[in-house]
Amino acid sequence: MHTFGRNAGSVELHDRRVVRFGRAPDNDVVFDPNHDRDASSHHAEARLEAAGWVLYDLDSRNGTYAGGQRIKRHPIASGDEITFGAKGPRVRLELVERRAPGPPQTHAAPAHPALAAAPPAPPTGYPAPAAYPAPAGYPAPAAPAAGYAAPAAGHAAPAAYPAPAAGHAAPAGAHPGHVPAAPPAGSRRVGERTIAMMISSAVSAATGRSKPRGTVEINAMLHKEVHAATAGQRRTTYVLASLLVVALASLAALIVYNRSSHDEISQLRAELARLPPEDPRRKEIEQRLGTLHPSNANFGRNLHDRSRKGIFMLASGREGFCTAFAVRLSILATNAHCIAAAKRRGGAIVALENEGRGQVSFAVTSMRTHPQYRDSADQLTPDIGVVSIAGRAAALLELATREQLASAGAGDDVYLIGFPERLTDAANPVATFLAANIGRITGANGRPAPAAEAWLIQHDARSTSGMNGSPIFNGEGKVIGINAGGYLEGNDETISGQKTEVVKASPYKFGMRIDLLDAILR
């Protein structure tokens, strides 16, 4: 019987001393020449020898396998699975009992007879095999059909087993000395019982004990068995499909909810920006904003990945001193005090691309500061400027709109990308990503002011001087400011018995709102 390949499911009966296998049409068992390409044209042959049937590989291209082992010569036992090529067609060989010769059979051969090598009577001189009793549960063997002659002298006909009891397949001509065991009760493996029934039917038809089953009948029987065996799989498939539909519906609902939540946040922030500080409605809007927050677990990673090639280290010689970022293809934004530091350093100033290993370097050709900037430690002025480079940035950072700037407020998440002071290595410029929150947004004097004048953004990112000039992103990934430094705090401390004022850097930093660039870029 063919168990794998284009002819899988079909069965054949052969009653000759040599049975040849291959893709060529002159073989006895012919494999499909186009589908079963692993089999050779003349792949193998089974020969009846003195000791029984033996399978020989005919120097095939892909080898012959029995029980998973490659063979050149293999004694055949009933039920052997033979594979022609490692991934080629596979057949199960059954040694079917040969009946004594008699008048020609008048019934037609089965449409798909069982694949079985049927040996003729043993050569003269061999003793007759002993008759074996039928296995438990099988009736006594029936007498040969009328019209069949007895075996020739010197040959003993092997004991014939009749059809098995209902629900069991008869062994297809057991080899002498082998007593077949009854199949396990209740076996439901798809194909096992059906194939056995097909083989039994084909053998019975070939020996004249019953009419052959037609193709339609065999297909119906096979369909019934497969349908019953796969009922559990179908139920599982239906359950999994239902769960998938529920999961997709939940995901769609979550996306819609997040989008509507994000839109509501933007609307509430815009409304809050329009209200004066003393308006009692501000408290209600702020409480509502506290309950809304669009979730995006990968936001920070995505922001870093899309912005990293737009971040640059400003360097003089081999030493970096500030961060800058691309707002135009050849224009980088930074702090005005970074430009003042560059002028004090003198010499060639370069912009090194983040993660460029110091090899992607652009010469700074010009520098400009905000017209109201003053290089003074006594007052805060618009600490913002731009540098032009001899080249083009690989990525541009997206700046926030006026509406987004007006809606920013205390408690908002913000993110910075820049070069901390201890990592300003011009030979290996790799920026650091920081997350923080806005503490408050005020005017230059540190007091609440109308939106147009509130350009000082206080935040709590743990940045150092190398981070000066780095972009400050809002929760939508838009640049709302440029990091500019930190506050200094003075405390009275007793040192060596004397009361002394000690000045320390405050943990609170501040940045300049990004729309201050308009005064330089327009």
Side-chain angles (χ1 to χ4, degrees), residues 6 86 89 414-415 441 464 469:
R6 175 56 60 90
V414 290
Y415 308 91
I441 300 178
T464 57

Side-chain angles (χ1 to χ4, degrees), residues 83-167:
T83 306
F84 300 85
K87 298 182 180 179
R90 184 168 60 249
V91 300
R92 180 186 302 158
L93 301 180
E94 298 284 352
L95 303 182
V96 180
E97 172 187 337
R98 183 182 183 183
R99 285 190 159 248
Q105 299 182 24
T106 58
H107 62 269
H112 298 284
L115 175 61
T124 305
Y126 277 82
Y132 290 94
Y138 286 88
Y148 280 82
H155 298 273
Y161 290 102

